Amino acid sequence: MGEGRYTGNGRSRPERAALVRLLRDSGEVDVGCYKPVLLDRQMEVRMSVLGISSPAAYHRLLVTSGAEREVLAHRLFVGVTSFFRDPDAWEFLRSAVLAGLLARDGGGREIRVWSAGCCTGQEAYSLAIALAEALDPQEYLRRVKIFATDADHEAVQAARSGLYDEQELGELPAGLRAKYFVRQGRMLCFRPDLRPAVVFGRHDLVHDVPLSRIDLLVCRNTLLYFSPQARDRITDGFHFALREGGFLFLGNAELLLNRRDQFELVHPRRHVYRRRPDRGGPPRARKVPLPGVPVRPVTQGHSVHTGRAPR
Ligand SMILES: C[S@@+](CC[C@H](N)C(=O)[O-])C[C@H]1O[C@@H](n2cnc3c(N)ncnc32)[C@H](O)[C@@H]1O
């Protein structure tokens, strides 16, 4: 391991490979799926916080300290989120996508939504609010199922609680905040009567089998952290997960450039795509495994069920 600084310049270096192995072998996180620059950046932050100036010294600490490995692994999840993040994109989703999905086949059909990389739940509850605004409460409970998943189990636990402080709810318009949150001491809780439509679970986008029969897949500000190979694998999983004609809603900095055969762009600035029909043959998610990365079957331990056995 050299004594030079991590520069985040994206070169493949032996010291980075050693770290990827260390974190993967210790069961913390499969760092190899993320862009190298993310690991470099998060390591620089940790070294600066700890006052460590050489990568070699930080590597020695990682070898001996499980606690530090956990902290670094957790930082790789980049848990930044907010309610209705990028309001213009959400307004487009509401008016151009949700309205159409809800009116499909004369209305009345179930709508299955997947918030993939849901972090601490703000995105999933934003979806719940957007759908509850469009339907009456009984219809919302009867028709809406929102599966919200993340690889970070601490984030999923926080999301499940539905509890947020004043600051976290700060971005939400006052009317929605009063209508959809009830006070619990110093915190505010998402309305318990609407909560059953939202199901949270731990799910790793690279390693776990995708959900299925999804009408709207929201995966925002998550794909951009993955390596091109992992991103390809995840995108294949999204094609598998979505019903024909289903929608994919990405973050403002995320584009599917090489997926014209699988997804059609609905709106270039809002980063909404529509799933194209299968061209025949098994889905690519099953055909192209990422070297060295096993696909985990859905097991009893998963708290998110697809309602259908994986193909
Ligand atoms: C920047 S946050 C985005 C949160 C939310 N989608 C938004 O746009 O506000 C990225 C999320 O992706 C999750 N994530 C990272 N790697 C993942 C993986 N392999 N599988 C599932 N989620 C992952 C992180 O835990 C984190 O919550």
Side-chain angles (χ1 to χ4, degrees):
M1 182 102 184
E3 292 289 325
R5 275 170 57 79
Y6 280 87
T7 57
N9 61 10
R11 270 185 286 129
S12 164
R13 286 169 291 188
E15 59 265 35
R16 186 192 287 121
L19 272 169
V20 168
R21 269 197 308 279
L22 174 68
L23 288 170
R24 188 186 279 156
D25 293 350
S26 61
E28 304 300 349
V29 70
D30 186 357
V31 184
C33 296
Y34 299 97
K35 282 182 185 160
V37 68
L38 179 64
L39 177 60
D40 291 343
R41 202 188 307 136
Q42 299 306 341
M43 284 189 59
E44 291 240 340
V45 171
R46 285 306 295 161
M47 285 164 62
S48 152
V49 167
L50 296 167
I52 296 175
S53 55
S54 88
Y58 185 62
H59 190 184
R60 283 195 291 275
L61 175 65
L62 285 174
V63 172
T64 54
S65 168
E68 183 56 27
R69 286 198 299 272
E70 242 178 72
V71 173
L72 179 64
H74 200 255
R75 285 201 62 88
L76 291 168
F77 286 137
V78 194
V80 178
T81 190
S82 56
F83 288 93
F84 294 103
R85 189 173 180 178
D86 309 316
D88 291 348
W90 279 87
E91 176 49 30
F92 178 78
L93 186 80
R94 187 193 66 74
S95 59
V97 177
L98 289 180
L101 279 176
L102 290 171
R104 220 178 18 179
D105 303 332
R109 253 177 69 174
E110 177 193 50
I111 165 164
R112 287 164 63 89
V113 182
W114 181 11
S115 164
C118 68
C119 201
T120 39
Q122 284 88 332
E123 184 175 275
Y125 294 117
S126 299
L127 284 161
I129 292 171
L131 286 157
E133 283 291 284
L135 301 167
D136 70 49
Q138 272 71 38
E139 207 189 351
Y140 160 90
L141 287 172
R142 187 173 57 76
R143 292 181 62 190
V144 172
K145 191 57 88 192
I146 299 167
F147 303 98
T149 64
D150 201 285
D152 178 356
H153 65 87
E154 282 175 33
V156 172
Q157 260 178 312
R160 259 194 204 113
S161 76
L163 289 168
Y164 298 94
D165 63 23
E166 299 277 352
Q167 204 186 340
E168 286 166 314
L169 282 171
E171 322 96 25
L172 201 61
L176 294 180
R177 184 183 154 137
K179 189 168 169 190
Y180 290 101
F181 287 85
V182 290
R183 184 158 288 285
Q184 266 189 25
R186 285 178 31 235
M187 306 293 273
L188 289 127
C189 184
F190 184 71
R191 259 173 60 181
D193 59 322
L194 302 178
R195 177 68 178 73
V198 192
V199 180
F200 288 99
R202 192 178 173 280
H203 179 278
D204 186 313
L205 285 166
V206 180
H207 295 277
D208 293 336
V209 172
L211 308 193
S212 63
R213 293 186 294 124
I214 299 297
D215 298 296
L216 169 63
L217 205 169
V218 178
C219 184
R220 310 197 71 231
N221 310 298
T222 297
L223 279 184
L224 77 171
Y225 296 113
F226 286 98
S227 69
Q229 294 92 327
R231 220 167 33 226
D232 275 355
R233 182 188 176 91
I234 294 170
T235 317
D236 287 336
F238 287 171
H239 190 256
F240 169 86
L242 281 164
R243 285 189 217 262
E244 198 172 310
F247 292 92
L248 175 62
F249 181 33
L250 298 180
N252 277 0
E254 294 162 323
L255 287 172
L256 291 183
L257 291 173
N258 56 350
R259 292 311 172 112
R260 294 230 172 89
D261 57 330
Q262 291 184 323
F263 296 96
E264 149 196 18
L265 185 60
V266 173
H267 193 289
R269 275 187 300 120
R270 303 297 169 229
H271 301 247
V272 172
Y273 294 81
R274 189 185 287 117
R275 182 200 191 277
R276 290 190 195 275
D278 285 323
R279 290 251 182 95
R284 279 166 50 159
R286 308 276 80 80
K287 285 200 293 191
V288 192
L290 199 60
V293 179
V295 176
R296 286 200 291 251
V298 175
T299 63
Q300 290 276 307
H302 279 255
S303 43
V304 172
H305 297 282
T306 63
R308 189 169 96 175
R311 274 183 263 180

